[in-house]
Structures are given as structure tokens and as C-alpha cells.
Amino acid sequence: MADIKTFYLPDLGEGLPDATIVEWHVKEGDTIKLDAPLVSMETAKAVVDVPSPYTGKVTKLHGAAGDVIETGAALAEFEPDPNAKQRAEAEATGHHHGPKKAAAEPKKVTASDEGGEIESGNGKTADREDEGTVVGAMISGSHVHVEQAASVGGVKAVPAVRALAKKLKVDISRVRPTGADGVVTMQDVKNAAANGTAALGSAPARAAVPASAGRHLAPELPQPEPARTPMSQAGKPVRTAPPSVKASGQPEQLKGVRRNMARVMAEAHANVVPTTLVDDADLHAWIGKQDITARLIRAIVAACKAVPALNAWFDGKNLSRTLHPHVDIGIAVDTEDGLFVPALRNADVLDSAGIRAGIQRLRAQVEDRTIPPSELSGYTISLSNFGMFAGRYATPVVVPPCVAIIGAGKLSHDVVAVMGGIEVHRRMPISLTFDHRAATGGEAARFLKALLDDLSAPN
């Protein structure tokens, strides 16, 4: 009788309770080699390639694309090849599996991290777009080895790029790669979908491009079409609404990032005592062109130095707090899939150019879905630049262990009373929500004043 081995879904990172199947790379009855890509799973922070723990025959797959699998539940069953070398105790991957579950039915991007420039007297903001995250992982011993891209069928791409290609009906084997070492990027797939050069079934697949050739290929950009890219009178692209999920009128299970967002928001609501202060930053004195987000970051750093109590973590269970000497700012990014908050590390030692470079790096990693999960946690304070869409003031949610979050509202021209008359000033609404268990109202007010003072400086 064949020896059937069951592979249970390991913890793919940071104690996550479940993951969603994005795509199986095999089907029942297929043979597979040890460590070959088995399935792509989406967690709250990434799309991860899970490798096969055996060489042998796949006898059963537990779940289909879109199903949510709990950590520790059966994922696949194998009939190992007795003549092939197998990993010792293949099921002991070094991850926390949790209790094994009985086999059962498995239960666009716009970032607030990118500011435009504003010029005294007439401000202008730049268009901003971002997306989620992805890494590949190999399970071996007690470690997860992060991979930027896996080669499947002669094509190098991270799992999320393959998933996007499938969604857009693009033959990824025919997409011209522009990434380093011949990797197909998210933008490559979007370009191919836009210009129709790699539609499924439209033509024979291209020959695989040598890894070294990818470095010398120019991006394959779609030709601009007015219907696809509306232009303003100034010749700049007009922001259009991001693609949205079709409304079916039926309940649907939350998955991946949005599922985790629901958990995190509920936990924050249950555990934090939020209090919000609001005021307006007067930008009338700004000289020349100014990078809005860089100024916001600089002002937050100044406020953190003036009042360290808000650049802190609070442990409600042990009633302890940690005041941080450095400033790592979590920047809220809204995507179709849910909320991401990548961290701009060591913002307190960055100049304006360094801040912009850091933000562009985060944006590129989020756009290409290559940002490490470690960059989505550990920040000491956070920023939500919701005003790029609409809204003046808000009560943004403080997510433990952080103590505070800053919200930046929509820039406006306001009539301001000055000595001897009135003037029209450019102003930015600022909201500060803090956990009143960890900071006093006076500390929060002084923090807000320090932030507003820095923002009102000429440069």
C-alpha cells in the first residue's frame, strides 16, 4: 500500500492565522520534485511561493484558487518516490504549524506616501499610484529563504506577477521582461495587457529570453490612447478611478490583505483609547517649490524630537511604554486589496532628497510587489495622506503598539484674518489621533504645535 504523506500549511510569517490559495502550480496526479513550486499563497503581507516538501506524486490538493486555508490545515497529499532523495522529516519545515486541522472544505493602488510639489501662491500635487507586496519563499530547515522571483516554465516572475497575468489573460511566456536578469515585472504584464501583444492563445509563445538579456531591453510601453489615458489641458495625465471589483450582490469572504485589515482594525478599536486633535498648517510662507510629503515627514520628525511621548509603543497588557530615539514612519497605502503600511526607516536622519528617494524606493517595491514583509511593520508612528483624494479632517486609526498617527487633509486656499485686513493663504488640515492611555492631552497638543510650526517655516 502506498505511503501517503500529508503536507500541512506552515506559518508563512509572523503568526498569520491563514492564507489564500492564489494558484496551484500542479494538479492531482502530477509528479513533482523536492522544492519545486507547489502553490502560490497570499497572506496578509505577501504572495508566497510554497515549495514541494517531497519528490513524488501529488495525490490530493486541499482547496482551489481563492480558498482560504488555515495555518496548520492540510494543504496537499503526496505519494513520495521511494527511490528519490527526500528531505529528512519533510513536514518539519521549521515553521509553526499550529494544531493540525481535520481535512475539510477550506473555509488599485494609490499611495498616500507620495506628495507632489507645491509652489508659493499656487500649489500643485502630483498623481500617485501604488500596489501591494510580494515575496517568494523556500521552506528549509528552520528558515524561510526569500526569493525575488522563481523560474517556472522558463519564465522568471514573482507569484503576484503570474497571478496578475492570469487575471488579465496575458500569456506570461510571451511578455518581454525588463527586470534585472530577465525577470518579468508587474509593469511588463500591464503593458502587455494594454497593447495586446501577449494575449492568451493569440500567437505562438516567444522563445525564452536569456537571463542576461533582460538588463539591456528597453521597456515596452503602450502607445498613449485618449480613451485610456485622459490628458489635462496642461498635458498631464488625469487621475482615473482605479479598477474595482465587480459588485455581485452576494456575500464574499474577505481574503489576504483585506482579511487581515479587518482583524487589525477590530483589534485596534477594541484596545485603543483614541483622541483626536485637529488644526491647520499655514503654508503661506513657503518659498519656491516644496515637496509636500518631504515637508510632512520633516515636520513629524521635528514633533517627535520635541515630544517623544508620541513616537512610542505602548503595551496595554503590562502598562509599559517604549520611547524611541529614532523615527520610523509608517506610510498608509490604499490598494484594491486593502491597506498596506510600509515603513520609511530612520526618517530622522534623512534630508529632503533622502526622504524622496526612500519614498520612491518603497513605491517601486510596492508597485512591483517585491517589498519584504519586514518593511511592513515595526514603525514608531504613522502618516495617512488621505487629502490627496478628499477630506479635510479625520480620526485615523491608531494601530498598536504605536501611540499616534497623523492625517494630512486636502490642501485649500482659505481666507485668513491678519492684522489690518484679510489674506488668502494656502493651508493643510492636520489631524492627530493618539492613544490617551499612553499620552496626555498636553503632550499631544504640544506635538501638534511643533508639527504645525515646522510646516509653517519658509523652507
Side-chain angles (χ1 to χ4, degrees), residues 6-10 62 69-76 97-102:
T6 302
F7 178 53
Y8 300 90
L9 178 66
H62 291 269
I69 307 294
E70 295 181 12
T71 299
L75 184 60
H97 288 253
K100 293 179 181 177
K101 311 287 184 181

Side-chain angles (χ1 to χ4, degrees), residues 121-390:
N122 91 10
K124 54 181 181 179
T125 57
D127 290 335
R128 304 164 265 201
E129 292 193 5
D130 275 334
E131 284 184 317
T133 60
V134 63
V135 293
M138 175 174 289
I139 304 168
S140 175
S142 60
H143 303 283
V144 177
H145 304 288
V146 176
E147 302 175 313
Q148 295 304 319
S151 179
V152 179
V155 178
K156 288 185 179 180
V158 294
V161 171
R162 297 179 188 280
L164 178 66
K166 186 175 182 181
K167 177 180 178 181
L168 298 180
K169 301 187 184 308
V170 168
D171 183 351
I172 197 168
S173 69
R174 295 173 49 223
V175 175
R176 189 181 184 190
T178 63
D181 296 324
V183 172
V184 176
T185 68
M186 192 75 72
Q187 191 60 48
D188 294 336
V189 172
K190 291 177 180 178
N191 291 342
N195 59 33
T197 57
L200 281 172
S202 62
R206 62 162 174 82
V209 177
S212 61
R215 298 179 182 142
H216 308 292
L217 296 175
E220 187 174 310
L221 299 174
Q223 294 300 313
E225 298 177 18
R228 286 180 180 153
T229 311
M231 306 296 284
S232 68
Q233 290 183 349
K236 294 186 177 181
V238 175
R239 176 179 298 282
T240 56
S244 57
V245 178
K246 291 183 179 179
S248 65
Q250 299 297 319
E252 71 175 34
Q253 191 173 47
L254 297 182
K255 300 171 184 175
V257 178
R258 194 171 292 275
R259 186 180 182 89
N260 188 64
M261 179 183 70
R263 292 193 189 103
V264 170
M265 292 298 107
E267 181 182 353
H269 180 72
N271 293 318
V272 172
V273 181
T275 304
T276 301
L277 299 179
V278 300
D279 209 327
D280 296 291
D282 195 320
L283 314 183
H284 187 65
W286 282 18
I287 299 173
K289 292 182 178 180
Q290 301 274 345
D291 185 318
I292 299 172
T293 302
R295 286 296 304 267
L296 267 171
I297 297 296
R298 191 188 81 177
I300 292 171
V301 168
C304 288
K305 290 180 178 179
V307 188
L310 274 74
N311 184 48
W313 290 345
F314 180 71
D315 183 342
K317 183 177 180 180
N318 297 310
L319 295 180
S320 64
R321 67 174 182 171
T322 303
L323 304 184
H324 298 286
H326 61 281
V327 182
D328 290 348
I329 302 179
I331 302 174
V333 178
D334 178 55
T335 78
E336 260 191 277
D337 295 324
L339 183 67
F340 288 88
V341 187
L344 180 65
R345 304 291 182 192
N346 300 310
D348 50 312
V349 298
L350 299 177
D351 59 13
S352 182
I355 290 171
R356 175 50 51 198
I359 288 174
Q360 288 175 340
R361 174 182 57 80
L362 291 175
R363 179 187 181 188
Q365 289 180 326
V366 169
E367 172 68 25
D368 291 336
R369 306 192 68 139
T370 56
I371 190 166
S374 61
E375 292 303 301
L376 296 169
S377 62
Y379 41 88
T380 61
I381 194 167
S382 50
L383 167 66
S384 175
N385 193 3
F386 62 86
M388 59 181 293
F389 297 115

Side-chain angles (χ1 to χ4, degrees), residues 370-421:
T370 56
I371 190 166
S374 61
E375 292 303 301
L376 296 169
S377 62
Y379 41 88
T380 61
I381 194 167
S382 50
L383 167 66
S384 175
N385 193 3
F386 62 86
M388 59 181 293
F389 297 115
R392 290 180 63 83
Y393 309 104
T395 54
V397 178
V398 176
V399 176
C402 286
V403 168
I405 180 172
I406 293 90
K410 185 177 181 179
L411 294 166
S412 62
H413 286 97
D414 297 334
V415 175
V416 177
V418 296
M419 187 173 295

